[in-house]
Amino acid sequence: HIDTTKKCLEYFFHFLKRLIFFKNHFAQNSTAIMASMLRPFASRGVSRGASAFLNTSSHRSVGNAVSRLLSTQSGDDAAPPTALATLYLEDGSKFVGRSFGSHEAVDGEVVFTTGMVGYPEALTDPSYQGQIITLTSPMIGNYGVPDRKKLDKFGLPYMFESDRIHAKGLIVQDYSHHYSHWKAASSLGDWLKEEGVPGLCDIDTRMLTKKIREKGAMVGRIEVDMNAPAPDFSKMRNPNERHLVAEVSTKEVKVFGKGNPIKIMGVDCGMKYNMIRLLVDRGCELTVVPWNHPFSEDMHKFDGIFLSNGPGDPTYCVETIEQLKKCISVPDEEVKPIFGICLGNQLLGL
């Protein structure tokens, strides 16, 4: 279908000529968006007329925008994954797929999330510590992964929720080994390999999600040795039996937005970086403390207390619960507002 593809490109560049008349308003942005969508066609070759259009001086600005986006390349996994791997669940279920991340076996609690985008944020969310994430959106990886070394104004990794991947593994239906995005620095598969995290694709995530919804989150294992026997789950420890909050919480007190008028103490039970960004951007000086910090002794120095999200069983956070009991038992004139999100809200309830 090369002739058909070339004809489509001819129509596309004819349309670009018409957009030139509006380039002072929106032409370049529109061209960039459409160019990124046509990248698969461009890889098969551009006709002589289209190339001539891009190379003319009058259309150089548009051509540069198109060339910049069409030149986006894949990482080391430019070829589709071929190595087989198996997902075992503790109920006896078995799913065979292909490995596109780090090719190694792991155990974890198998859960699902329904977000259509945001896998860099989900994988680095400390709430997923010890878990194997199933993404219900059918195609994953098409926009790659941003630069891990880029920092924001607070010195935190830009576009990530922590400084590393916390999930034990990733399960998807259709892995897009060819990515395209102006912020991308690598493919999703390459990032998983960097972090030593396995990824499994070609899995019926719809069936897997329905099973998890009906039976609840289950312990599972990604096995890369196709000759290995089925795992003995009676000998496998559920990650929720570990103190996961202690594993992800900060080990020292940190201050963000120093000098801002609103003083907030943030108890880090697995705090996402975007919570820090949003609170500071809204005028807060955020003092982040470990999960077991004696914050009831310092609450008089702050305007409020924030309890973050986090992984695992909240009943393991005995010290946090004891501190909260003291905070809500003070006289009325010393009461401070306390806000908990996710696991933080569960801690308040306990």
Side-chain angles (χ1 to χ4, degrees):
H1 303 289
I2 293 178
D3 291 339
T4 303
T5 302
K6 289 183 177 180
K7 195 66 177 177
C8 290
L9 285 172
E10 288 287 356
Y11 284 125
F12 168 67
F13 287 110
H14 175 72
F15 181 60
L16 287 185
K17 291 180 181 179
R18 299 178 67 90
L19 284 179
I20 292 298
F21 292 105
F22 306 98
K23 65 180 180 180
N24 291 331
H25 300 287
F26 61 88
Q28 292 184 1
N29 289 337
S30 300
T31 302
I33 294 171
M34 287 184 290
S36 64
M37 295 173 63
L38 284 175
R39 179 176 172 232
F41 295 100
S43 63
R44 299 185 183 181
V46 181
S47 68
R48 186 176 303 170
S51 298
F53 165 74
L54 284 176
N55 291 328
T56 56
S57 58
S58 61
H59 304 129
R60 188 169 300 154
S61 60
V62 176
N64 288 341
V66 173
S67 298
R68 179 174 67 86
L69 286 166
L70 293 184
S71 65
T72 307
Q73 299 298 323
S74 291
D76 294 335
D77 58 352
T82 57
L84 296 178
T86 305
L87 170 67
Y88 292 95
L89 296 179
E90 61 178 320
D91 70 343
S93 302
K94 174 182 176 181
F95 299 82
V96 178
R98 299 187 185 278
S99 171
F100 69 92
S102 180
H103 197 61
E104 57 185 89
V106 297
D107 307 329
E109 183 184 35
V110 182
V111 299
F112 70 87
T113 180
T114 57
M116 296 181 67
V117 294
Y119 53 80
E121 293 86 350
L123 287 167
T124 54
D125 184 347
S127 294
Y128 287 115
Q129 177 81 355
Q131 295 181 326
I132 299 173
I133 306 177
T134 303
L135 300 179
T136 61
S137 185
M139 185 171 70
I140 299 297
N142 56 312
Y143 58 88
V145 180
D147 185 358
R148 273 76 79 191
K149 296 180 180 178
K150 186 175 181 180
L151 304 179
D152 62 17
K153 60 184 178 181
F154 306 113
L156 304 173
Y158 183 59
M159 296 189 70
F160 296 96
E161 296 296 354
S162 68
D163 60 358
R164 64 184 176 89
I165 295 178
H166 286 276
K168 292 292 294 293
L170 181 65
I171 300 171
V172 304
Q173 177 177 312
D174 180 13
Y175 170 60
S176 178
H177 58 280
H178 195 90
Y179 67 89
S180 179
H181 195 277
W182 68 276
K183 288 184 178 180
S186 76
S187 68
L188 173 58
D190 282 347
W191 183 38
L192 293 177
K193 292 171 187 174
E194 288 175 16
E195 298 267 350
V197 176
L200 196 56
C201 65
D202 297 343
I203 297 294
D204 187 348
T205 53
R206 181 180 175 86
M207 178 186 293
L208 178 57
T209 300
K210 289 178 69 176
K211 183 180 289 290
I212 296 172
R213 286 181 62 188
E214 292 171 359
K215 298 186 177 182
M218 290 177 280
V219 176
R221 177 177 176 83
I222 295 177
E223 180 58 70
V224 297
D225 182 357
M226 299 304 291
N227 297 317
D232 184 356
F233 284 97
S234 65
K235 299 179 180 179
M236 197 174 297
R237 187 182 181 190
N238 190 315
N240 289 309
E241 296 175 358
R242 307 193 326 248
H243 196 330
L244 297 176
V245 169
E247 294 179 13
V248 301
S249 178
T250 183
K251 304 298 188 262
E252 58 185 3
V253 177
K254 301 177 182 178
V255 180
F256 298 90
K258 191 170 183 62
N260 285 350
I262 304 173
K263 312 299 181 184
I264 301 295
M265 178 185 291
V267 182
D268 181 8
C269 300
M271 188 178 295
K272 294 187 282 189
Y273 284 165
N274 211 39
M275 293 177 176
I276 298 173
R277 298 184 187 104
L278 293 176
L279 285 170
V280 176
D281 284 343
R282 284 157 177 77
C284 295
E285 179 184 278
L286 180 64
T287 301
V288 179
V289 301
W291 68 276
N292 56 353
H293 184 79
F295 54 86
S296 63
E297 301 174 4
D298 300 326
M299 62 181 295
H300 64 280
K301 303 176 184 178
F302 297 89
D303 298 309
I305 299 174
F306 171 65
L307 306 171
S308 80
N309 60 291
D313 187 345
T315 59
Y316 280 91
C317 302
V318 177
E319 293 92 329
T320 315
I321 295 171
E322 290 302 316
Q323 289 297 314
L324 285 171
K325 289 179 180 178
K326 295 178 181 180
C327 289
I328 62 177
S329 300
V330 297
D332 291 347
E333 62 273 12
E334 298 178 17
V335 169
K336 301 287 184 178
I338 304 175
F339 172 63
I341 185 171
C342 298
L343 182 132
N345 188 46
Q346 294 175 325
L347 291 172
L348 271 174
L350 291 171

